[in-house]
Amino acid sequence: MATVTLTINDQIRTVEDIAEDTPLLWVLRDSLGLVGTKYGCGGGYCGACTVHLNGLPVRSCSVTAVAAVGAKITTIEGLANEGLAQGDKHLHPLQQAWIDLDVPQCGYCQAGQIMTAAAFLDANPSPSDADIDQAMAGNICRCGCYVRIKQAIRMASDGLAYNAMDAEEQQV
Amino acid sequence: MNTSRREFIKLTGVVGGGLVIGFHLPTGAETKAASLNAYVQIRPDNTIIIAAKNPELGQGVKTALPMIVAEELDVEWAQVEVIQSAVDYLRYGSQFAWGSHSVPDNWIVLRRVGASARAMLVQAAARQWDVAPQACSTQSGRVSHPQQKGSLSYGELASAAAGMPIPGDDQLKLKSRDQFRLIGQRISGVDNRAIVTGQPLFGIDQQIPGLHYAVYEKCPATGGTVKTANLEEVRKLPGVSHVFELVGNGETTELMPGVAIIANSTWAAFSARKQLKVEWELSDAASDSWTQTQKRARELAAGNGEDVVVSHGAVESALAGAGRSHTAFYAYPYVAHAAMEPQNCSAHYHDGSCDVWASSQTPQSALGNVAGLLNIPTSAVTLHQTRCGGGFGRRLMNDTVCEAAAISQRAGVPVKLQWSREDDMAHDFYRVGGFHALRGGLDEEGRVVAWDDHFITFSENGKSPSRGGDMKASVFPVPMVTNARITRTQLASGIPSGYWRAPGSNAIAFAVQSFIHELAATAGRDHLEFLLELMAMPLQSGAKLDGLNPERAARVITAAAEQAGWHKPRPAGTGLGLAFYYSHRGHVAEVAEVSVDKNRKLALHRVTVAADVGPIINLSGAESQVQGSVIDGFSTMMGLELSIEGGRIQESNFHQYRPLRMPDAPQIDVHFLDSDYPPTGLGEPALPPLAPAVGNAIFSATGIRVRELPLAKSGFSLV
C-alpha cells in the first residue's frame, strides 16, 4: 500500500492507502472524483482514458499512479484552464470546436479524443489531414464520429494558427 | 400504480395519443419555476426548462425531442434548458430507446405538449389584458397583441398560465411546416459542453455516498453454474469486504449464476478477481462452435429450409424454366455491440426499496426486472436515467442492472457494479450470424422472374429464431417478384442473442442487395436501371410491403446515383457500388466508391447517402447519425467477427475485436430528400445499405464478388 501525492490540473492531491499497482485512471475516478477520464478497455487499446503527463498523451489505464508522482498531470477537467482565449474564453479551442461542430454522439470517448488532439496540436499546430489521422488512430469512437472529430481538430488548428499570426502581427 | 383507464383520463384530462400532459413537473423551490405540464417549466427570467423523456445513447433524442416542444411553444433555443426526465409512465408514457422510434412515436405528442403550454400562456396574457386569446400572437417566448403596447414574457405569465385549464387536443392549432423556425436547423447537442469538460453524465460516473465497488464473475459459457470457488481465499484480499455466490434466476436477461466480489475501490475489486478461481458446472452451458456451425450451414444450403416464411408463384418451376439462373451462398458472423462505456450500474437497496443509476435503453422494463428479482413492488424501484456511453441495442437488456441490485440487496450496501471490457465482450447479447442460399431466375429480357432465399439462422429456445435473427416476408424484392420464396432453417444455439443496430436488416441487406447486383451482372444490365425496374414491378397478390414505399425508394436510389456520378467513366481499379434498403421506416440508398489493388488492399473513398425520413428535426444530429451508421457499417463489414468455441467468445478486447479507426473512415456525403411524410428516426436505417454498397463497389472495381463477411476473411485489408 502506498500514499501518493500527485499534481493534477495544477493542484496538489494526496491519495492514501492505494495498492502500488493501481492505475492512474482509477485513482482519478474513484479516489479523486475526476470522472471525465473514462474507462474503456483497460488495455491501452481504445484511448478513452487519455490524460497528459508533462504535456504528453498517455493511457491512464496503463500507467500507475505511483509512476505519475512528480509529473504534471492534466485531465479533461483541467484542459479548459490551459486553453487560449477563443470563442468561449473558458474553453480550450478544441472543446469549443467540438461544441461548434456538434462532434459527440454518445460522447463517452470524447474526453480521450480531445486530450489526444490537444497534445498533438501542441506539438504540431498546423497538421495535414494525414497527420491528424495518424495522431488520432489510437482513439476508438464506436459511434463513428471520425468525420467531425477531424473537422473539429482542423477548425481548432486553424484557430490556433490565426491566434499565433495575430500575436506575431502585434509584436511587429 | 394501479390506475384504471377511466380514472387515468379523469386524472389527466387527456384522452388520446398517450399525451399525459395533466401532470406537472415537480418544481424545486430554488428554481421558482412554474410548471405548465409534465415537460415544460418556465422560470421568471424566461428560461424554458424542457424535459427529455427518452434515454440518450448518442442518437440525439435529448436534443431532438425538446426541439419539437420548443418549436410549438414558440421559444428561442437559446432560452431552453433541457433536463432528463424521471422514469414515470403516467407522466411520459413509454420511455425507451430502440427501433428508431423516438421521433415517430413522439412527433405529434410533443408538438401538442408545446402547443398546449403555449395556449395556456396566451390565455394568461389574454386574461391580463382582457382581450380575446385568438388575437394574441407569440414569438421568441413572448406574447403580444395588436392593441397592447409591449409584450409579456412567458416568464412573467408562467405562474398565471399554470392555473389555466389544459386545452383539449381538438383546441390546439399546430404549426404548418412553413411556420417551423427551429425544426430543421442545426442544433448542437444539449450535453456537449458537459461532455467536452468531463462532467459526470454517464452511468459509470455516478458517485453515491458510501459506495462500494463490485465485480461479478459468470461462466464464460452461458448457462454454466458455480461448482466450487475459493471464496474464503478471496475474502482475505486487500480492500475486499464481501465475497458471495449468487445462484440467479436462470434468465440471461436478468441474473445468471456467479460470484460477486465487493471491495473499497474498482481496482481492489478487479485485483481480487484475478485471484478468484471458479470451477464451473458445464452440463447446461452453451457449447457452440462457430467453425462447426459454418460447415453445417454450407451442408444445409443445398436444400430448402424447414419452414416457409413466404411463398408465392411457383419458384421451382420458374427457376427451372428461366432463361438464365444464378445461385450464391452468403454468410455473416456473430458480432458484439462493444459500446464504449462498459456495462455498469450503481444500486442501493435499502428498507425494501431499491434505487438504481443505470445507462439503460429500457428504463421502464428495468423497474419490473429489478422488482421481480428482489421480490419488491415495482413502485419501490427508482431508476435514475443517465446518459449512456453507446447502446446499439446492448442496453435493451437490463442484466447488469439486475446484477447490481441483487448484489446490493445481498450485501446490504450501495454498490457500483463494474464490468470489465472482457466481461462486456464475453457476456453480450450478440447479433447472430446467418446464411443465405440464394437462387434467382431471369427471363429472356433479363428481368427477375424467380427469387428463392433459404435463410439459415439460429434459435435459443428451439422454437423461434433468436432475437434479431428473423427475416420478414416483406424483404424487397420478394413482394415484387412473380415467383418468390423465403424458407428458413433454425440452428440450435446457446449463445445469448440480442438486437443490434437495425436488427433484422443489418446483415440481411448485405445478402439480398448484393444478390440483386449479381443478377443484374448475370443479365448484363446496369445495376441502377435493374434495381429501379425491380422496384417498379407490381406487388404480387397477397404480398405485403410493410411500409416500403416504392416511389420513395426510387427517389432515394436515383438521387444517390446522381449525386455520386453513377454514369461517369471511372479509372481502372476503382468502382462504384449501389444499394438500397428500407428499414425502421427509413428509405435509404447509398453509393460507395472504392479502389482495390491487386493485393486486395481496399480504400473506401466516399459514400454518398440519399435518405427519405420525412422532415428532419435536427439537421446536425441527423447528418451525424448517417455518418455514424456508415462508419459502423463499414467497421463491421471490414473486420468484425466473433469466433465461438466451446460456447465461449474468443475475442476479449479491442486488440482482437477491432472497430474502425479514423484513418480508414471515408468521406460521407449526406442528402436528405425533402418529403411531407411524417418524420421518422435515423438511429438505424442508414446502416444496412452500406455493406452491400461496398461489396457491389468491390465487384465493379475488380470483378471479385464478396459473399462472406467480414471482408478480412477474403483477404481484403485496408490501405
Side-chain angles (χ1 to χ4, degrees), chain A residues 19 49 61 80 90 109 120 125 141 164:
Chain A
C49 66
C61 74
H90 300 297
C109 73
F120 163 64
C141 175

Side-chain angles (χ1 to χ4, degrees), chain A residues 25-109:
Chain A
L25 168 68
W26 295 111
V27 171
L28 294 172
R29 291 187 59 83
D30 289 355
S31 308
L32 299 172
L34 293 168
V35 296
T37 303
K38 295 294 190 273
Y39 168 57
C41 71
Y45 311 117
C46 78
C49 66
T50 303
V51 299
H52 295 176
L53 232 57
N54 296 328
L56 297 175
V58 299
R59 305 285 189 253
S60 65
C61 74
S62 306
V63 175
T64 63
V66 171
V69 171
K72 178 178 152 58
I73 302 164
T74 308
T75 70
I76 189 71
E77 290 92 343
L79 187 66
N81 297 333
E82 297 190 335
L84 298 171
Q86 184 192 321
D88 187 323
K89 65 178 178 176
H90 300 297
L91 294 181
H92 187 281
L94 282 164
Q95 292 169 314
Q96 191 59 50
W98 246 247
I99 295 172
D100 292 346
L101 292 176
D102 190 22
V103 171
Q105 285 190 28
C106 87
Y108 192 79
C109 73

Side-chain angles (χ1 to χ4, degrees), chain B residues 517 520 525-532 557-570 575-579 590-593 606 608 692-693 696-697 700:
Chain B
H517 187 213
R525 296 177 56 191
D526 172 58
H527 184 200
L528 171 63
E529 180 240 343
F530 188 83
L531 183 60
L532 288 171
I557 293 166
T558 306
E562 270 175 20
Q563 296 290 343
W566 182 256
H567 291 293
K568 285 185 189 152
R570 306 206 56 77
L576 294 185
L578 168 68
E590 295 177 8
V591 175
E593 180 186 344
R606 187 165 71 124
T608 306
N696 294 341
S700 301

Side-chain angles (χ1 to χ4, degrees), chain B residues 114-173:
Chain B
S116 168
R118 178 186 167 277
M120 290 160 76
L121 290 155
V122 167
Q123 286 283 349
R127 185 167 293 187
Q128 190 167 323
W129 286 325
D130 196 19
V131 298
Q134 295 82 347
C136 296
S137 62
T138 55
Q139 196 188 336
S140 305
R142 303 188 76 86
V143 185
S144 56
H145 182 276
Q147 268 85 58
Q148 299 294 323
K149 281 185 186 163
S151 58
L152 291 167
S153 80
Y154 287 3
E156 292 169 279
L157 292 164
S159 53
M164 293 292 150
I166 293 165
D169 289 353
D170 53 349
Q171 296 168 263
L172 298 176
K173 193 168 179 297

